Amino acid sequence: MSAGTFSHAVELRTIASPALWAVTVAVLSLLLVVDLLITRRPREESMRASAGWSVFYLLLPMLFGCYLWAGHGGGVAVEFFTGFVVEKSLSVDNLFVFMLLLAAFAVPSALARQVLLYGIVGALVLRVVFIWLGAAALQSGTWAFLLFGGILIVTAGKIIKDVLRGGEQQVDISSMRTVRLVRRFVPVTDDYRGSRLAVREGGRLALTPLALAAVAILATDVVFAVDSVPAVYGVTDDPFLVFATNAFALLGLRALYFVLQGVLTKLRHLNHGLSVILAFIGVKLILHWAHGIWAWVPEIPTPASLGVIVSVLVVVTVTSLLANRRDRVRAAPAQPEPVGEPAGER
């Protein structure tokens, strides 16, 4: 960026050739097709299968990062790994909201993975749209870094405000505008009809509650995309790496949901950590913008960002476990003290 210029266009450099883009999109499409085939028949997800798929989807980005390191250098690989850690941590928060939505709609466990897949595919499509918009904004001027940084700091403030307000997070589906809008124009059946999203009743089309659940999850995907894409643009301005980190973070969510289903509610300090991470990346973006105008303004290097993000996630995990342990100790019934023998019987 040229010094003294507020809106100088950003030259977006990318490591991806058209062939690399084609191969990456083809592989991701194949994985989505496999997921669609797996979820075609409604059934409950086994923990063993979910754990296996989760490991598989964690190995994929590791192998991809090694490829980037070998072919494009350590700097590119560190950017990818940092972006992936950011996106994966934000995705876990997505899963918690998905869990609340599935409970609010009383989605049968056999249909849960189908709804999750709809949400993941929708999230991936929305990420592509927002990545393109983000790239267009950056090419129009460096002000986009300032805008992205402001969005992340405001989001961090909103998250921490909700946390400090206390109380358990809940989802009121009756207040969701998208759900109310759908109900206003299309009739909805009272019960689920297997894995069908729509049925014919009385000669006209009616949606099932499964379709409403899918619509609600897609609506939340929009909110998450607004936070997620600026966050990873704070790590790298390569649109290909932004897309790859989002795609790899989202692909394994369906399986990871069933692995972490009983753990998500125990990560009570996760939102504290996410607010710190988003605020940190927001500051990083603003410093990056300022450095382009005033060269003396320091920038935060990507390896340092990776260290901060991982440290925050480790800290909030440990503090969550300690807080849960403390609550269990307090909730345990006090052991009655042994009553001594009467003096006359000694």
Side-chain angles (χ1 to χ4, degrees):
M1 290 181 287
S2 301
T5 303
F6 179 82
S7 60
H8 182 69
V10 180
E11 182 183 354
L12 296 181
R13 292 172 292 180
T14 180
I15 63 166
S17 64
L20 182 56
W21 269 106
V23 170
T24 304
V25 172
V27 171
L28 293 174
S29 301
L30 177 62
L31 291 172
L32 284 175
V33 169
V34 171
D35 253 349
L36 284 169
L37 293 176
I38 291 175
T39 57
R40 182 175 55 180
R41 295 181 179 179
R43 63 179 180 184
E44 294 191 16
E45 191 84 5
S46 70
M47 179 59 69
R48 183 175 180 179
S50 297
W53 280 107
S54 297
V55 171
F56 171 74
Y57 281 119
L58 285 176
L59 286 176
L60 277 182
M62 298 300 106
L63 293 174
F64 187 75
C66 292
Y67 158 75
L68 292 177
W69 196 300
H72 302 278
V76 171
V78 170
E79 287 184 6
F80 170 76
F81 284 127
T82 305
F84 176 74
V85 172
V86 170
E87 290 304 314
K88 203 65 177 179
S89 60
L90 292 172
S91 296
V92 172
D93 193 43
N94 292 26
L95 285 183
F96 184 67
V97 176
F98 288 171
M99 182 179 67
L100 295 176
L101 284 170
L102 291 176
F105 281 99
V107 177
S109 56
L111 299 175
R113 59 181 186 167
Q114 183 177 349
V115 179
L116 288 171
L117 185 60
Y118 292 149
I120 292 167
V121 172
L124 188 56
V125 172
L126 286 169
R127 294 295 201 281
V128 171
V129 173
F130 277 84
I131 289 168
W132 179 81
L133 291 175
L138 289 174
Q139 287 180 317
S140 69
T142 58
W143 58 269
F145 288 120
L146 191 61
L147 173 64
F148 290 169
I151 289 174
L152 295 180
I153 291 174
V154 169
T155 302
K158 182 179 181 300
I159 292 175
I160 201 65
K161 181 180 178 182
D162 292 340
V163 169
L164 295 177
R165 188 182 300 162
E168 295 184 357
Q169 188 175 0
Q170 296 180 344
V171 172
D172 182 10
I173 57 177
S174 62
S175 65
M176 296 185 70
R177 294 178 181 177
T178 50
V179 173
R180 287 186 299 175
L181 186 65
V182 171
R183 285 185 177 275
R184 181 178 179 182
F185 293 101
V186 185
V188 180
T189 62
D190 295 329
D191 55 345
Y192 285 87
R193 305 294 175 86
S195 59
R196 300 175 69 180
L197 297 175
V199 294
R200 283 278 180 185
E201 280 197 345
R204 63 175 183 168
L205 186 70
L207 298 179
T208 67
L210 187 66
L212 279 187
V215 168
I217 284 184
L218 289 174
T220 61
D221 282 338
V222 177
V223 178
F224 287 128
V226 172
D227 302 333
S228 175
V229 173
V232 75
Y233 266 121
V235 176
T236 177
D237 56 6
D238 185 332
F240 175 75
L241 292 181
V242 175
F243 170 76
T245 54
N246 274 271
F248 281 115
L250 288 170
L251 275 178
L253 280 191
R254 180 188 60 80
L256 190 62
Y257 172 86
F258 295 99
V259 174
L260 297 181
Q261 193 171 10
V263 181
L264 288 174
T265 55
K266 297 179 182 179
L267 295 175
R268 58 170 68 183
H269 296 155
L270 175 63
N271 280 343
H272 296 76
L274 291 179
S275 65
V276 172
I277 290 172
L278 291 178
F280 170 77
I281 298 176
V283 171
K284 182 179 185 295
L285 280 167
I286 293 174
L287 289 176
H288 181 63
W289 165 79
H291 180 78
I293 300 176
W294 305 287
W296 54 267
V297 176
E299 287 192 283
I300 301 175
T302 301
S305 301
L306 179 60
V308 169
I309 293 165
V310 172
S311 299
V312 169
L313 292 175
V314 170
V315 168
V316 298
T317 300
V318 171
T319 57
S320 296
L321 295 176
L322 291 176
N324 292 332
R325 181 181 178 184
R326 179 196 62 202
D327 288 350
R328 286 196 300 270
V329 171
R330 288 179 178 177
Q335 296 293 330
E337 296 183 2
V339 180
E341 296 179 358
E345 296 180 4
R346 293 179 182 175

